Amino acid sequence: MRVLITGSSGQIGTNLALRLMDEGHYVFGVDVRPNTWTNRIETLLQDLSMPYGEFKGGIGQAVYPGKLDVVVHLAAHAKVHELVQRPGRALSNITMIFNVLEYCRENRVPIVFSSSREVYGDIHRYITEEAHADFAFTESPYSASKIAGEALVYSYAQCYGLPYIVFRFSNVYGRFDNDIERMERVIPLFIRKIQDGERVTVFGKDKVLDFTYVDDCVDGIVRGIQLLQRGGKTGHTINLAYGQGQSLVAMAEYVAKALGVTADIEVQPARVGEVTHYVADIAKARALLGYDPRTPLSEGIPKSVAWTRSHQAGM
Ligand SMILES: NC(=O)c1ccc[n+]([C@@H]2O[C@H](COP(=O)([O-])OP(=O)(O)OC[C@H]3O[C@@H](n4cnc5c(N)ncnc54)[C@H](O)[C@@H]3O)[C@@H](O)[C@H]2O)c1
């Protein structure tokens, strides 16, 4: 297969690209910044949020390849709290999906769009089915950008027959997730702080989230790509997560256990714009894709800590 991945220098993009390449597929990456983990991924450096951006390489850069089988659109400003502080970045996310959809329409390529459990809002449901999204519950500019992105994808399917899969991810963690300093995510942040003997702050005592180990997430995406390649009904919206809730306090304790120390945990109220309870219903992913996530948080955290340590040792 020939796959274009936007956001190929990010966490999910790097893991997905390497898995596809290891399986013998051709991958072409597009990102606004170089990949800091590997030089194996052919990457075009391009800001995809330029209005009506032309999809061309600069001088000396890679140029867009010819016929592709699928575009996986992962590029985004991907941090909820950051977009509460800088809501203009939500608009960039919308421009990016628009530009990528135009590319897919012109070149007649199916799209995989990375949406988020944030589209459900903070609705305190214990299990969230795909049909439960109700956009009156929009919690944050990031959430609004994913809702708008999904809406654009559905409109392109409706008007231009564009085949798509929308995945709603949830707290993906694991290797390659700590290179963007300004937007350090909760698990790498906790690993770093607990390792350094620092206190960690949990925003939301009862906050329960569905943490997804990156290999499970990538496996679901690959299965989605395969489904698109098989044709058939060509529009699906699918939760992709582990399917179990875990509190942030429990997560911090798993990190401390994997490091062999005791965590110093401070609890503060949840921050504005953040979801405080989410557990995905993954029945659709199981039925449609044969998705079968393998890594509970209790096993994924020790893997993440081991990866962080080996990465630090190699620096
Ligand atoms: N990781 C998660 O827990 C999670 C959860 C829900 C949804 N998602 C979505 O999945 C996608 C991938 O997530 P990730 O964890 O790999 O994020 P990431 O931040 O690691 O990677 C995103 C990449 O997009 C690139 N990018 C940002 N702005 C760009 C622009 N203007 N032009 C080109 N590239 C640009 C960044 O440089 C980065 O490499 C994102 O769309 C995110 O919103 C992720």
Side-chain angles (χ1 to χ4, degrees), residues 7-13 30-33 46-49 73-78 96 114-117 142 146 169-172 180 183 185:
S8 56
S9 301
Q11 182 205 8
I12 299 173
V30 185
D31 202 295
V32 74
R33 66 193 178 100
Q46 181 171 3
D47 182 349
L48 290 168
S49 68
H73 178 50
L74 299 171
H77 298 289
M96 279 189 241
S114 53
S115 186
S116 167
R117 61 106 203 276
Y142 174 79
K146 291 299 184 186
F169 301 144
S170 175
N171 286 86
V172 184
I180 310 179
M183 49 169 288
R185 291 194 166 127

PDB file of all heavy atoms in Angstrom, residues 7-13 30-33 46-49 73-78 96 114-117 142 146 169-172 180 183 185, ligand 1:
ATOM      1  N   GLY A   7       1.202  14.687  10.087  1.00  0.00           N
ATOM      2  CA  GLY A   7       1.558  14.600  11.512  1.00  0.00           C
ATOM      3  C   GLY A   7       2.480  13.408  11.753  1.00  0.00           C
ATOM      4  O   GLY A   7       2.487  12.825  12.841  1.00  0.00           O
ATOM      5  N   SER A   8       3.295  13.092  10.741  1.00  0.00           N
ATOM      6  CA  SER A   8       4.129  11.876  10.786  1.00  0.00           C
ATOM      7  C   SER A   8       5.309  12.005  11.739  1.00  0.00           C
ATOM      8  O   SER A   8       5.988  11.018  12.004  1.00  0.00           O
ATOM      9  CB  SER A   8       4.632  11.549   9.384  1.00  0.00           C
ATOM     10  OG  SER A   8       5.318  12.677   8.857  1.00  0.00           O
ATOM     11  N   SER A   9       5.561  13.224  12.255  1.00  0.00           N
ATOM     12  CA  SER A   9       6.637  13.367  13.235  1.00  0.00           C
ATOM     13  C   SER A   9       6.102  13.250  14.664  1.00  0.00           C
ATOM     14  O   SER A   9       6.879  13.315  15.618  1.00  0.00           O
ATOM     15  CB  SER A   9       7.333  14.728  13.073  1.00  0.00           C
ATOM     16  OG  SER A   9       7.855  14.857  11.772  1.00  0.00           O
ATOM     17  N   GLY A  10       4.796  13.114  14.814  1.00  0.00           N
ATOM     18  CA  GLY A  10       4.193  13.034  16.143  1.00  0.00           C
ATOM     19  C   GLY A  10       4.201  11.618  16.686  1.00  0.00           C
ATOM     20  O   GLY A  10       4.746  10.689  16.082  1.00  0.00           O
ATOM     21  N   GLN A  11       3.578  11.472  17.833  1.00  0.00           N
ATOM     22  CA  GLN A  11       3.628  10.181  18.530  1.00  0.00           C
ATOM     23  C   GLN A  11       2.961   9.056  17.726  1.00  0.00           C
ATOM     24  O   GLN A  11       3.583   8.039  17.416  1.00  0.00           O
ATOM     25  CB  GLN A  11       2.925  10.300  19.890  1.00  0.00           C
ATOM     26  CG  GLN A  11       3.000   9.003  20.665  1.00  0.00           C
ATOM     27  CD  GLN A  11       1.883   8.836  21.678  1.00  0.00           C
ATOM     28  OE1 GLN A  11       0.947   9.619  21.735  1.00  0.00           O
ATOM     29  NE2 GLN A  11       1.979   7.809  22.480  1.00  0.00           N
ATOM     30  N   ILE A  12       1.690   9.249  17.395  1.00  0.00           N
ATOM     31  CA  ILE A  12       0.975   8.179  16.699  1.00  0.00           C
ATOM     32  C   ILE A  12       1.521   8.028  15.285  1.00  0.00           C
ATOM     33  O   ILE A  12       1.722   6.913  14.791  1.00  0.00           O
ATOM     34  CB  ILE A  12      -0.551   8.457  16.691  1.00  0.00           C
ATOM     35  CG1 ILE A  12      -1.082   8.527  18.138  1.00  0.00           C
ATOM     36  CG2 ILE A  12      -1.296   7.382  15.907  1.00  0.00           C
ATOM     37  CD1 ILE A  12      -2.544   8.973  18.252  1.00  0.00           C
ATOM     38  N   GLY A  13       1.817   9.156  14.634  1.00  0.00           N
ATOM     39  CA  GLY A  13       2.318   9.120  13.265  1.00  0.00           C
ATOM     40  C   GLY A  13       3.619   8.344  13.144  1.00  0.00           C
ATOM     41  O   GLY A  13       3.795   7.527  12.228  1.00  0.00           O
ATOM     42  N   VAL A  30       4.056  13.979   6.104  1.00  0.00           N
ATOM     43  CA  VAL A  30       4.018  15.446   6.018  1.00  0.00           C
ATOM     44  C   VAL A  30       3.883  15.978   7.434  1.00  0.00           C
ATOM     45  O   VAL A  30       3.022  15.521   8.197  1.00  0.00           O
ATOM     46  CB  VAL A  30       2.811  15.946   5.188  1.00  0.00           C
ATOM     47  CG1 VAL A  30       2.879  17.468   5.031  1.00  0.00           C
ATOM     48  CG2 VAL A  30       2.758  15.279   3.828  1.00  0.00           C
ATOM     49  N   ASP A  31       4.747  16.914   7.776  1.00  0.00           N
ATOM     50  CA  ASP A  31       4.674  17.507   9.117  1.00  0.00           C
ATOM     51  C   ASP A  31       5.316  18.881   9.052  1.00  0.00           C
ATOM     52  O   ASP A  31       6.147  19.157   8.174  1.00  0.00           O
ATOM     53  CB  ASP A  31       5.393  16.620  10.153  1.00  0.00           C
ATOM     54  CG  ASP A  31       4.900  16.884  11.574  1.00  0.00           C
ATOM     55  OD1 ASP A  31       5.107  18.014  12.080  1.00  0.00           O
ATOM     56  OD2 ASP A  31       4.293  15.989  12.175  1.00  0.00           O
ATOM     57  N   VAL A  32       4.969  19.737   9.990  1.00  0.00           N
ATOM     58  CA  VAL A  32       5.553  21.076  10.020  1.00  0.00           C
ATOM     59  C   VAL A  32       6.963  21.042  10.615  1.00  0.00           C
ATOM     60  O   VAL A  32       7.736  21.983  10.468  1.00  0.00           O
ATOM     61  CB  VAL A  32       4.612  22.033  10.808  1.00  0.00           C
ATOM     62  CG1 VAL A  32       4.670  21.787  12.307  1.00  0.00           C
ATOM     63  CG2 VAL A  32       4.877  23.483  10.464  1.00  0.00           C
ATOM     64  N   ARG A  33       7.306  19.931  11.258  1.00  0.00           N
ATOM     65  CA  ARG A  33       8.646  19.838  11.878  1.00  0.00           C
ATOM     66  C   ARG A  33       9.261  18.471  11.553  1.00  0.00           C
ATOM     67  O   ARG A  33       8.528  17.507  11.290  1.00  0.00           O
ATOM     68  CB  ARG A  33       8.544  20.042  13.394  1.00  0.00           C
ATOM     69  CG  ARG A  33       7.791  18.949  14.049  1.00  0.00           C
ATOM     70  CD  ARG A  33       7.376  19.216  15.477  1.00  0.00           C
ATOM     71  NE  ARG A  33       6.616  18.062  15.923  1.00  0.00           N
ATOM     72  CZ  ARG A  33       7.104  17.083  16.662  1.00  0.00           C
ATOM     73  NH1 ARG A  33       8.321  17.126  17.130  1.00  0.00           N
ATOM     74  NH2 ARG A  33       6.363  16.041  16.980  1.00  0.00           N
ATOM     75  N   GLN A  46       5.900  20.827   5.844  1.00  0.00           N
ATOM     76  CA  GLN A  46       4.904  21.763   5.331  1.00  0.00           C
ATOM     77  C   GLN A  46       3.914  22.134   6.436  1.00  0.00           C
ATOM     78  O   GLN A  46       3.466  21.258   7.192  1.00  0.00           O
ATOM     79  CB  GLN A  46       4.136  21.134   4.168  1.00  0.00           C
ATOM     80  CG  GLN A  46       3.105  22.086   3.595  1.00  0.00           C
ATOM     81  CD  GLN A  46       2.468  21.590   2.322  1.00  0.00           C
ATOM     82  OE1 GLN A  46       2.749  20.493   1.860  1.00  0.00           O
ATOM     83  NE2 GLN A  46       1.594  22.386   1.749  1.00  0.00           N
ATOM     84  N   ASP A  47       3.593  23.421   6.514  1.00  0.00           N
ATOM     85  CA  ASP A  47       2.546  23.862   7.435  1.00  0.00           C
ATOM     86  C   ASP A  47       1.199  23.630   6.760  1.00  0.00           C
ATOM     87  O   ASP A  47       0.832  24.347   5.828  1.00  0.00           O
ATOM     88  CB  ASP A  47       2.751  25.346   7.768  1.00  0.00           C
ATOM     89  CG  ASP A  47       1.711  25.839   8.776  1.00  0.00           C
ATOM     90  OD1 ASP A  47       0.740  25.095   9.045  1.00  0.00           O
ATOM     91  OD2 ASP A  47       1.880  26.962   9.275  1.00  0.00           O
ATOM     92  N   LEU A  48       0.481  22.649   7.236  1.00  0.00           N
ATOM     93  CA  LEU A  48      -0.795  22.283   6.603  1.00  0.00           C
ATOM     94  C   LEU A  48      -1.927  23.228   6.973  1.00  0.00           C
ATOM     95  O   LEU A  48      -3.041  23.086   6.486  1.00  0.00           O
ATOM     96  CB  LEU A  48      -1.178  20.850   7.004  1.00  0.00           C
ATOM     97  CG  LEU A  48      -0.301  19.753   6.414  1.00  0.00           C
ATOM     98  CD1 LEU A  48      -0.572  18.416   7.106  1.00  0.00           C
ATOM     99  CD2 LEU A  48      -0.555  19.618   4.918  1.00  0.00           C
ATOM    100  N   SER A  49      -1.644  24.199   7.857  1.00  0.00           N
ATOM    101  CA  SER A  49      -2.725  25.094   8.278  1.00  0.00           C
ATOM    102  C   SER A  49      -2.741  26.400   7.493  1.00  0.00           C
ATOM    103  O   SER A  49      -3.497  27.308   7.823  1.00  0.00           O
ATOM    104  CB  SER A  49      -2.623  25.390   9.773  1.00  0.00           C
ATOM    105  OG  SER A  49      -1.480  26.169  10.036  1.00  0.00           O
ATOM    106  N   HIS A  73      -4.862  11.308   8.345  1.00  0.00           N
ATOM    107  CA  HIS A  73      -4.659  12.702   8.771  1.00  0.00           C
ATOM    108  C   HIS A  73      -4.564  12.768  10.299  1.00  0.00           C
ATOM    109  O   HIS A  73      -5.580  12.730  11.000  1.00  0.00           O
ATOM    110  CB  HIS A  73      -5.807  13.580   8.265  1.00  0.00           C
ATOM    111  CG  HIS A  73      -5.684  15.003   8.713  1.00  0.00           C
ATOM    112  ND1 HIS A  73      -4.528  15.742   8.559  1.00  0.00           N
ATOM    113  CD2 HIS A  73      -6.566  15.830   9.338  1.00  0.00           C
ATOM    114  CE1 HIS A  73      -4.704  16.956   9.071  1.00  0.00           C
ATOM    115  NE2 HIS A  73      -5.931  17.032   9.546  1.00  0.00           N
ATOM    116  N   LEU A  74      -3.321  12.912  10.773  1.00  0.00           N
ATOM    117  CA  LEU A  74      -3.071  12.977  12.217  1.00  0.00           C
ATOM    118  C   LEU A  74      -2.600  14.363  12.656  1.00  0.00           C
ATOM    119  O   LEU A  74      -2.604  14.660  13.854  1.00  0.00           O
ATOM    120  CB  LEU A  74      -1.992  11.951  12.608  1.00  0.00           C
ATOM    121  CG  LEU A  74      -2.308  10.482  12.327  1.00  0.00           C
ATOM    122  CD1 LEU A  74      -1.063   9.619  12.551  1.00  0.00           C
ATOM    123  CD2 LEU A  74      -3.441   9.981  13.212  1.00  0.00           C
ATOM    124  N   ALA A  75      -2.153  15.197  11.719  1.00  0.00           N
ATOM    125  CA  ALA A  75      -1.591  16.498  12.106  1.00  0.00           C
ATOM    126  C   ALA A  75      -2.638  17.332  12.826  1.00  0.00           C
ATOM    127  O   ALA A  75      -3.777  17.439  12.383  1.00  0.00           O
ATOM    128  CB  ALA A  75      -1.094  17.247  10.867  1.00  0.00           C
ATOM    129  N   ALA A  76      -2.241  17.899  13.944  1.00  0.00           N
ATOM    130  CA  ALA A  76      -3.150  18.775  14.704  1.00  0.00           C
ATOM    131  C   ALA A  76      -2.380  19.394  15.858  1.00  0.00           C
ATOM    132  O   ALA A  76      -1.329  18.908  16.261  1.00  0.00           O
ATOM    133  CB  ALA A  76      -4.323  17.973  15.265  1.00  0.00           C
ATOM    134  N   HIS A  77      -2.934  20.477  16.385  1.00  0.00           N
ATOM    135  CA  HIS A  77      -2.544  20.916  17.724  1.00  0.00           C
ATOM    136  C   HIS A  77      -3.380  20.047  18.648  1.00  0.00           C
ATOM    137  O   HIS A  77      -4.611  20.125  18.654  1.00  0.00           O
ATOM    138  CB  HIS A  77      -2.877  22.394  17.919  1.00  0.00           C
ATOM    139  CG  HIS A  77      -2.125  23.276  16.963  1.00  0.00           C
ATOM    140  ND1 HIS A  77      -0.767  23.489  17.077  1.00  0.00           N
ATOM    141  CD2 HIS A  77      -2.534  23.955  15.866  1.00  0.00           C
ATOM    142  CE1 HIS A  77      -0.368  24.278  16.099  1.00  0.00           C
ATOM    143  NE2 HIS A  77      -1.416  24.577  15.347  1.00  0.00           N
ATOM    144  N   ALA A  78      -2.685  19.191  19.423  1.00  0.00           N
ATOM    145  CA  ALA A  78      -3.372  18.036  20.010  1.00  0.00           C
ATOM    146  C   ALA A  78      -3.542  18.107  21.526  1.00  0.00           C
ATOM    147  O   ALA A  78      -3.781  17.092  22.150  1.00  0.00           O
ATOM    148  CB  ALA A  78      -2.620  16.770  19.622  1.00  0.00           C
ATOM    149  N   MET A  96      -6.484  22.681   8.620  1.00  0.00           N
ATOM    150  CA  MET A  96      -5.702  21.505   8.199  1.00  0.00           C
ATOM    151  C   MET A  96      -6.603  20.421   7.632  1.00  0.00           C
ATOM    152  O   MET A  96      -6.315  19.873   6.568  1.00  0.00           O
ATOM    153  CB  MET A  96      -4.937  20.926   9.396  1.00  0.00           C
ATOM    154  CG  MET A  96      -3.667  21.648   9.715  1.00  0.00           C
ATOM    155  SD  MET A  96      -2.726  20.744  10.967  1.00  0.00           S
ATOM    156  CE  MET A  96      -2.680  21.952  12.265  1.00  0.00           C
ATOM    157  N   SER A 114      -8.281  11.515  12.468  1.00  0.00           N
ATOM    158  CA  SER A 114      -8.066  11.272  13.901  1.00  0.00           C
ATOM    159  C   SER A 114      -8.902  12.249  14.707  1.00  0.00           C
ATOM    160  O   SER A 114      -8.504  13.377  14.949  1.00  0.00           O
ATOM    161  CB  SER A 114      -6.592  11.455  14.227  1.00  0.00           C
ATOM    162  OG  SER A 114      -6.139  12.716  13.773  1.00  0.00           O
ATOM    163  N   SER A 115     -10.071  11.785  15.116  1.00  0.00           N
ATOM    164  CA  SER A 115     -10.882  12.587  16.022  1.00  0.00           C
ATOM    165  C   SER A 115     -10.568  12.160  17.455  1.00  0.00           C
ATOM    166  O   SER A 115      -9.543  11.507  17.706  1.00  0.00           O
ATOM    167  CB  SER A 115     -12.358  12.423  15.680  1.00  0.00           C
ATOM    168  OG  SER A 115     -13.136  13.305  16.464  1.00  0.00           O
ATOM    169  N   SER A 116     -11.426  12.516  18.369  1.00  0.00           N
ATOM    170  CA  SER A 116     -11.084  12.358  19.780  1.00  0.00           C
ATOM    171  C   SER A 116     -12.325  12.061  20.611  1.00  0.00           C
ATOM    172  O   SER A 116     -13.440  12.485  20.253  1.00  0.00           O
ATOM    173  CB  SER A 116     -10.460  13.674  20.261  1.00  0.00           C
ATOM    174  OG  SER A 116     -10.393  13.693  21.657  1.00  0.00           O
ATOM    175  N   ARG A 117     -12.106  11.404  21.729  1.00  0.00           N
ATOM    176  CA  ARG A 117     -13.209  11.224  22.678  1.00  0.00           C
ATOM    177  C   ARG A 117     -13.730  12.576  23.189  1.00  0.00           C
ATOM    178  O   ARG A 117     -14.807  12.651  23.786  1.00  0.00           O
ATOM    179  CB  ARG A 117     -12.752  10.365  23.859  1.00  0.00           C
ATOM    180  CG  ARG A 117     -11.599  10.983  24.655  1.00  0.00           C
ATOM    181  CD  ARG A 117     -12.041  11.527  25.992  1.00  0.00           C
ATOM    182  NE  ARG A 117     -11.119  12.531  26.459  1.00  0.00           N
ATOM    183  CZ  ARG A 117      -9.983  12.281  27.124  1.00  0.00           C
ATOM    184  NH1 ARG A 117      -9.624  11.063  27.375  1.00  0.00           N
ATOM    185  NH2 ARG A 117      -9.227  13.277  27.525  1.00  0.00           N
ATOM    186  N   TYR A 142     -10.501  22.726  21.486  1.00  0.00           N
ATOM    187  CA  TYR A 142      -9.963  21.507  20.861  1.00  0.00           C
ATOM    188  C   TYR A 142     -11.104  20.588  20.456  1.00  0.00           C
ATOM    189  O   TYR A 142     -11.155  20.091  19.327  1.00  0.00           O
ATOM    190  CB  TYR A 142      -9.030  20.794  21.850  1.00  0.00           C
ATOM    191  CG  TYR A 142      -8.540  19.448  21.362  1.00  0.00           C
ATOM    192  CD1 TYR A 142      -7.511  19.354  20.438  1.00  0.00           C
ATOM    193  CD2 TYR A 142      -9.102  18.259  21.844  1.00  0.00           C
ATOM    194  CE1 TYR A 142      -7.060  18.111  19.991  1.00  0.00           C
ATOM    195  CE2 TYR A 142      -8.659  17.020  21.405  1.00  0.00           C
ATOM    196  CZ  TYR A 142      -7.635  16.954  20.486  1.00  0.00           C
ATOM    197  OH  TYR A 142      -7.183  15.718  20.045  1.00  0.00           O
ATOM    198  N   LYS A 146     -12.334  19.208  16.637  1.00  0.00           N
ATOM    199  CA  LYS A 146     -12.532  17.819  16.199  1.00  0.00           C
ATOM    200  C   LYS A 146     -13.964  17.615  15.693  1.00  0.00           C
ATOM    201  O   LYS A 146     -14.190  16.888  14.726  1.00  0.00           O
ATOM    202  CB  LYS A 146     -12.212  16.849  17.347  1.00  0.00           C
ATOM    203  CG  LYS A 146     -10.737  16.801  17.708  1.00  0.00           C
ATOM    204  CD  LYS A 146      -9.863  16.346  16.544  1.00  0.00           C
ATOM    205  CE  LYS A 146      -8.399  16.205  16.903  1.00  0.00           C
ATOM    206  NZ  LYS A 146      -7.524  15.906  15.768  1.00  0.00           N
ATOM    207  N   PHE A 169      -9.925   8.671  19.269  1.00  0.00           N
ATOM    208  CA  PHE A 169      -8.894   8.138  20.151  1.00  0.00           C
ATOM    209  C   PHE A 169      -9.109   8.638  21.582  1.00  0.00           C
ATOM    210  O   PHE A 169      -9.802   9.637  21.812  1.00  0.00           O
ATOM    211  CB  PHE A 169      -7.495   8.616  19.724  1.00  0.00           C
ATOM    212  CG  PHE A 169      -7.086   8.247  18.329  1.00  0.00           C
ATOM    213  CD1 PHE A 169      -6.315   9.116  17.571  1.00  0.00           C
ATOM    214  CD2 PHE A 169      -7.426   7.023  17.776  1.00  0.00           C
ATOM    215  CE1 PHE A 169      -5.905   8.791  16.292  1.00  0.00           C
ATOM    216  CE2 PHE A 169      -7.015   6.682  16.489  1.00  0.00           C
ATOM    217  CZ  PHE A 169      -6.257   7.573  15.751  1.00  0.00           C
ATOM    218  N   SER A 170      -8.419   7.967  22.500  1.00  0.00           N
ATOM    219  CA  SER A 170      -8.496   8.383  23.900  1.00  0.00           C
ATOM    220  C   SER A 170      -7.159   8.151  24.597  1.00  0.00           C
ATOM    221  O   SER A 170      -6.679   7.014  24.654  1.00  0.00           O
ATOM    222  CB  SER A 170      -9.588   7.567  24.612  1.00  0.00           C
ATOM    223  OG  SER A 170      -9.589   7.869  25.993  1.00  0.00           O
ATOM    224  N   ASN A 171      -6.559   9.211  25.085  1.00  0.00           N
ATOM    225  CA  ASN A 171      -5.323   9.150  25.893  1.00  0.00           C
ATOM    226  C   ASN A 171      -4.345   8.079  25.428  1.00  0.00           C
ATOM    227  O   ASN A 171      -4.103   7.090  26.121  1.00  0.00           O
ATOM    228  CB  ASN A 171      -5.654   8.937  27.379  1.00  0.00           C
ATOM    229  CG  ASN A 171      -6.204  10.190  28.002  1.00  0.00           C
ATOM    230  OD1 ASN A 171      -7.398  10.431  27.930  1.00  0.00           O
ATOM    231  ND2 ASN A 171      -5.340  11.006  28.581  1.00  0.00           N
ATOM    232  N   VAL A 172      -3.790   8.297  24.258  1.00  0.00           N
ATOM    233  CA  VAL A 172      -2.816   7.356  23.707  1.00  0.00           C
ATOM    234  C   VAL A 172      -1.463   7.614  24.376  1.00  0.00           C
ATOM    235  O   VAL A 172      -1.032   8.757  24.508  1.00  0.00           O
ATOM    236  CB  VAL A 172      -2.709   7.539  22.179  1.00  0.00           C
ATOM    237  CG1 VAL A 172      -1.765   6.494  21.590  1.00  0.00           C
ATOM    238  CG2 VAL A 172      -4.092   7.442  21.542  1.00  0.00           C
ATOM    239  N   ILE A 180       7.796  16.918  22.365  1.00  0.00           N
ATOM    240  CA  ILE A 180       7.344  18.305  22.184  1.00  0.00           C
ATOM    241  C   ILE A 180       7.226  18.921  23.580  1.00  0.00           C
ATOM    242  O   ILE A 180       6.224  18.807  24.253  1.00  0.00           O
ATOM    243  CB  ILE A 180       6.002  18.375  21.444  1.00  0.00           C
ATOM    244  CG1 ILE A 180       6.036  17.522  20.169  1.00  0.00           C
ATOM    245  CG2 ILE A 180       5.676  19.818  21.073  1.00  0.00           C
ATOM    246  CD1 ILE A 180       4.742  17.521  19.393  1.00  0.00           C
ATOM    247  N   MET A 183       4.242  20.824  25.114  1.00  0.00           N
ATOM    248  CA  MET A 183       2.945  20.176  25.297  1.00  0.00           C
ATOM    249  C   MET A 183       3.130  18.780  25.902  1.00  0.00           C
ATOM    250  O   MET A 183       2.528  17.824  25.473  1.00  0.00           O
ATOM    251  CB  MET A 183       2.176  20.091  23.988  1.00  0.00           C
ATOM    252  CG  MET A 183       2.953  19.555  22.823  1.00  0.00           C
ATOM    253  SD  MET A 183       1.882  19.200  21.434  1.00  0.00           S
ATOM    254  CE  MET A 183       1.053  17.748  22.030  1.00  0.00           C
ATOM    255  N   ARG A 185       2.756  15.538  27.745  1.00  0.00           N
ATOM    256  CA  ARG A 185       1.514  14.857  28.106  1.00  0.00           C
ATOM    257  C   ARG A 185       1.602  14.271  29.501  1.00  0.00           C
ATOM    258  O   ARG A 185       2.677  14.113  30.046  1.00  0.00           O
ATOM    259  CB  ARG A 185       1.238  13.764  27.096  1.00  0.00           C
ATOM    260  CG  ARG A 185       0.892  14.368  25.761  1.00  0.00           C
ATOM    261  CD  ARG A 185       0.296  13.338  24.862  1.00  0.00           C
ATOM    262  NE  ARG A 185      -0.322  14.012  23.750  1.00  0.00           N
ATOM    263  CZ  ARG A 185      -0.057  13.724  22.476  1.00  0.00           C
ATOM    264  NH1 ARG A 185       0.745  12.740  22.188  1.00  0.00           N
ATOM    265  NH2 ARG A 185      -0.635  14.401  21.514  1.00  0.00           N
TER     266      ARG A 185
HETATM  267  N1  LIG B   1      -2.504  11.071  21.584  1.00  0.00           N
HETATM  268  C1  LIG B   1      -3.746  11.113  22.050  1.00  0.00           C
HETATM  269  O1  LIG B   1      -4.002  10.778  23.207  1.00  0.00           O
HETATM  270  C2  LIG B   1      -4.892  11.552  21.165  1.00  0.00           C
HETATM  271  C3  LIG B   1      -6.203  11.453  21.650  1.00  0.00           C
HETATM  272  C4  LIG B   1      -7.257  11.873  20.830  1.00  0.00           C
HETATM  273  C5  LIG B   1      -6.989  12.372  19.563  1.00  0.00           C
HETATM  274  N2  LIG B   1      -5.703  12.464  19.135  1.00  0.00           N
HETATM  275  C6  LIG B   1      -5.448  13.023  17.791  1.00  0.00           C
HETATM  276  O2  LIG B   1      -4.613  12.134  17.059  1.00  0.00           O
HETATM  277  C7  LIG B   1      -3.732  12.879  16.230  1.00  0.00           C
HETATM  278  C8  LIG B   1      -2.285  12.455  16.471  1.00  0.00           C
HETATM  279  O3  LIG B   1      -1.996  12.623  17.840  1.00  0.00           O
HETATM  280  P1  LIG B   1      -0.499  12.526  18.382  1.00  0.00           P
HETATM  281  O4  LIG B   1      -0.620  12.070  19.773  1.00  0.00           O
HETATM  282  O5  LIG B   1       0.371  11.789  17.470  1.00  0.00           O
HETATM  283  O6  LIG B   1      -0.121  14.089  18.391  1.00  0.00           O
HETATM  284  P2  LIG B   1       1.315  14.777  18.274  1.00  0.00           P
HETATM  285  O7  LIG B   1       1.189  16.150  18.830  1.00  0.00           O
HETATM  286  O8  LIG B   1       2.374  13.873  18.833  1.00  0.00           O
HETATM  287  O9  LIG B   1       1.509  14.854  16.694  1.00  0.00           O
HETATM  288  C9  LIG B   1       0.821  15.801  15.905  1.00  0.00           C
HETATM  289  C10 LIG B   1       1.763  16.245  14.811  1.00  0.00           C
HETATM  290  O10 LIG B   1       1.074  17.216  14.008  1.00  0.00           O
HETATM  291  C11 LIG B   1       2.053  18.153  13.605  1.00  0.00           C
HETATM  292  N3  LIG B   1       1.443  19.426  13.233  1.00  0.00           N
HETATM  293  C12 LIG B   1       0.880  20.337  14.070  1.00  0.00           C
HETATM  294  N4  LIG B   1       0.523  21.424  13.384  1.00  0.00           N
HETATM  295  C13 LIG B   1       0.851  21.189  12.076  1.00  0.00           C
HETATM  296  C14 LIG B   1       0.721  21.954  10.890  1.00  0.00           C
HETATM  297  N5  LIG B   1       0.188  23.190  10.906  1.00  0.00           N
HETATM  298  N6  LIG B   1       1.144  21.403   9.733  1.00  0.00           N
HETATM  299  C15 LIG B   1       1.721  20.169   9.712  1.00  0.00           C
HETATM  300  N7  LIG B   1       1.868  19.409  10.816  1.00  0.00           N
HETATM  301  C16 LIG B   1       1.432  19.911  11.984  1.00  0.00           C
HETATM  302  C17 LIG B   1       2.974  18.312  14.811  1.00  0.00           C
HETATM  303  O11 LIG B   1       4.235  18.856  14.444  1.00  0.00           O
HETATM  304  C18 LIG B   1       3.047  16.896  15.342  1.00  0.00           C
HETATM  305  O12 LIG B   1       4.198  16.215  14.867  1.00  0.00           O
HETATM  306  C19 LIG B   1      -4.000  14.357  16.526  1.00  0.00           C
HETATM  307  O13 LIG B   1      -4.886  14.840  15.543  1.00  0.00           O
HETATM  308  C20 LIG B   1      -4.694  14.332  17.875  1.00  0.00           C
HETATM  309  O14 LIG B   1      -5.549  15.435  18.042  1.00  0.00           O
HETATM  310  C21 LIG B   1      -4.642  12.059  19.898  1.00  0.00           C
END
